[in-house]
Amino acid sequence: MKINESILYPIGVVAKMFGISVATLRLYENEGLILPQKSKGQHRSYTDKDIQRIACIRDMINEKGLNLAGIRMVFSTLPCWKIKNCSEEERQNCPAYQDSQDPCWISKNADSVCGTEDCSICPVYSEFADCRNIKHILKKYWNPSSIQDPLKV
DNA sequence: ATTCTGACA
DNA sequence: TGTCAGCA
């Protein structure tokens, strides 16, 4: 069993966990790297998934040499249209599929299938909390035949 | 006491 | 990234 199954942490606790400031955590959020949910008022609530994601972000910064823009770019490559099984029409009307260099959760428009959804609980966001396994997880969505024509996936 | 948003060294 | 203001 997972001990911290549904525990939510306030920003101050998370900051201490990683030895960073609350300002830095808000920065990651503003840069589109994390999507903590908001509770009473506007207070942020971090789940264990968020914690894991932040650990990956810290690793990419400290060990992999990426800056925030680089990390955002990595997230922008997630094939949300495959994960969400978007129809051809939906893809044509979605900026995340068309031209976005940003993660889908910050490039989506109101009229897309993701329009009213809470991206913090969407698999495109939540399933990649462990960003070290991005490539592994992608294999589940990317059928072999699509690599023949990568531009029309 | 803690967090929030926005602005700015 | 840090910090300061003015709230809730």
Side-chain angles (χ1 to χ4, degrees):
Chain A
M1 71 177 111
K2 292 140 191 170
I3 44 184
N4 295 325
E5 189 84 44
S6 58
I7 294 182
L8 295 179
Y9 309 83
I11 194 170
V13 171
V14 179
K16 288 177 182 174
M17 279 183 193
F18 293 96
I20 58 181
S21 68
V22 296
T24 298
L25 284 171
R26 296 198 187 102
L27 175 62
Y28 293 167
E29 184 180 340
N30 291 328
E31 291 293 326
L33 274 35
I34 53 179
L35 294 174
Q37 293 187 285
K38 301 292 186 68
S39 60
K40 324 308 169 194
Q42 314 308 315
H43 292 44
R44 275 160 266 247
S45 288
Y46 296 79
T47 63
D48 289 314
K49 285 290 187 182
D50 291 317
I51 304 300
Q52 181 175 45
R53 192 189 195 76
I54 294 168
C56 288
I57 289 172
R58 294 302 293 169
D59 179 67
M60 288 195 269
I61 292 174
N62 300 317
E63 309 302 327
K64 307 303 191 301
L66 295 182
N67 57 23
L68 302 191
I71 296 172
R72 191 189 313 116
M73 184 69 85
V74 169
F75 292 155
S76 77
T77 68
L78 300 179
C80 58
W81 57 93
K82 296 282 283 184
I83 298 172
K84 304 282 289 185
N85 279 314
C86 292
S87 67
E88 185 57 37
E89 180 182 359
E90 291 169 330
R91 298 180 186 196
Q92 298 313 310
N93 295 315
C94 183
Y97 174 81
Q98 291 299 322
D99 61 336
S100 179
Q101 308 235 165
D102 288 320
C104 60
W105 52 83
I106 58 178
S107 68
K108 67 170 185 177
N109 53 7
D111 51 297
S112 73
V113 288
C114 301
T116 62
E117 287 188 17
D118 176 0
C119 293
S120 66
I121 59 174
C122 170
V124 180
Y125 172 80
S126 60
E127 284 194 23
F128 293 86
D130 185 349
C131 44
R132 293 167 302 182
N133 291 323
I134 286 183
K135 199 184 287 187
H136 176 267
I137 300 174
L138 287 182
K139 293 173 185 174
K140 183 171 67 177
Y141 299 99
W142 222 278
N143 52 309
S145 59
S146 16
I147 62 176
Q148 309 279 59
D149 191 359
L151 295 181
K152 294 233 28 172
V153 167

